[in-house]
Amino acid sequence: MYDQRYIDDVSSLVLNPEECVGCGLCVEVCPHRVFELSDKKAKIVDFNACIECGACVNNCPTQAIEVTPGVG
Amino acid sequence: MKTDSNQSCNKGCCDESNEQIKGFNSSNISIMPSMRPPLNPMAEYEKSGYELCSFVENFVQTDADPVPKIKTHLSKKDIFSTIKVRCGIKRHKYTVTPGLYCIGNPDKNSEVLVTANFKLTFDHVRSQLEGLDVWILVLDTKGVNVWCAASKGTFATDELVRQIKRASLEKIVSHHRVIVPQLGATGVSAKKVKKDSGFRVVYGPIRASDIMTFLKNDRKADQKMRMVTFTFSERLILIPVELNMVMKPAFIVLAIILLLSGIGPGIFSFSVALSRGSIAAAALFIGVFTGAVITPALLPYIPFKAFAIKGIITGVVFALATGFMLTTTPFVSSMTSLTSLFLLTIAISSFLAMNFTGATPLTSPSGVEKEMKMFIPVQLLSLATAVGFWIYSAF
Ligand code: SF4
Ligand code: SF4
């Protein structure tokens, strides 16, 4: 069922790898498996699956992630 | 003598006793005046002005307050109410009191599962936990499910901290750990909860049906448990509420359609309003049906990603199919009126399909915004043209 996708190239998701400490929490909380951990760093592997729910932003201990959905 | 379990029913403590009476068979007619009143093990918890909830089976003593122990099987009434809520009949204030509950016989090492106080959520969670010994911490989400409450900010860090403190959870468990459903992460910051309450947040699976496996695997969730789905049945279950929401606006539109349909060479005619109007109403009905039923149900199978386009596609298909039938009626003999009906169906279908973005776990706000900017003008233009053509075709 994971082929259900929404409009591409709209998410406001930004990951700043410099800030990432590799805790893996974003990988854990994201309901659309947007991140993966490789070499102790979070990596965006499926940008267009992001629904801007903010779960990753809320739980990243170093504020390495941002989403700024317009109206919400 | 047969003493059925019915006799030990906690009479007076719950409205469920009534339902159990229905389950009596002729061999144990115990509702006879001569019978002694059944023993009530919960009598000591009765309080004037309070009524014990039907899902509470007992209370367990802890180092803090006594904690209500809840049943894992749903009563007929729970199930009936669930159906009503799903149909959108009784959606407001379907809540349970926030606070700590338990299932089985939990102790200081048992897990604490956090959930929302929407009764549907609460019922669903407890029905999945049969045989476990766990604590359930219910947050005050104002009767909204975890996912929606997390994005609305009621299933949130502060509320979690507040309920942990209110229940004196540190006296009840020794591990200082709470399991929060993954979809609650949108409202919860694990780091802040730890800082403010001393409790560590562990994110559990998305679906309650995976909790058992999650606990068995030492609180590890696999990829599948962490991924949100939107299956056929998950989509179907949303349709009644969706329809309920459009009911009122649809009736207003219907009234306008009837009015507009009456306009003609004789300025206004009631009989024409009814006869032409009913055909336009059918076009409206098709639009509602394709936008709020067909599009959600067949979502992944309809081409294009924007929901507005999906709505146009289903609208076109159904409008074409019925359009041929309509050509046989006297009121849509002209191409103008047929086009008008066609456009009306499409505008409604597209708008309602777009409206469905709000109910899915697949859409990003930025995407919805983009879609709305693009398609609301299209829908309005289509609607305006439909109205213009409809009036014009009457003359
Ligand atoms: S905002 Fe939500 S969907 Fe997007 S990456 Fe973060 S957790 Fe995943
Ligand atoms: S939550 Fe933040 S720090 Fe942790 S892995 Fe993700 S980006 Fe890195």
Coordinates of all heavy atoms in Angstrom, one line a residue, chain B residues 268 299 331 381:
Chain B
F268 N -40.8 32.9 -13.2 CA -40.5 31.8 -12.2 C -41.7 30.8 -12.2 O -42.9 31.2 -12.1 CB -40.3 32.3 -10.8 CG -39.8 31.3 -9.9 CD1 -38.4 31.0 -9.8 CD2 -40.7 30.5 -9.2 CE1 -37.9 30.0 -9.0 CE2 -40.2 29.5 -8.3 CZ -38.8 29.2 -8.3
L299 N -9.1 5.7 -4.2 CA -8.0 6.6 -4.2 C -6.7 6.2 -5.0 O -6.3 6.9 -5.9 CB -7.7 7.0 -2.8 CG -6.9 8.3 -2.6 CD1 -7.7 9.5 -3.1 CD2 -6.6 8.5 -1.2
F331 N -36.1 17.6 -20.5 CA -35.5 18.9 -20.0 C -34.0 19.1 -20.3 O -33.5 20.1 -20.0 CB -35.7 18.9 -18.4 CG -37.1 19.1 -18.1 CD1 -37.9 18.0 -17.7 CD2 -37.8 20.3 -18.2 CE1 -39.2 18.2 -17.4 CE2 -39.1 20.5 -18.0 CZ -39.9 19.4 -17.5
L381 N -14.9 28.4 -11.6 CA -15.2 28.7 -13.0 C -16.2 27.7 -13.6 O -17.2 28.1 -14.3 CB -13.9 28.7 -13.9 CG -14.1 29.2 -15.3 CD1 -14.3 30.8 -15.3 CD2 -12.9 28.9 -16.1

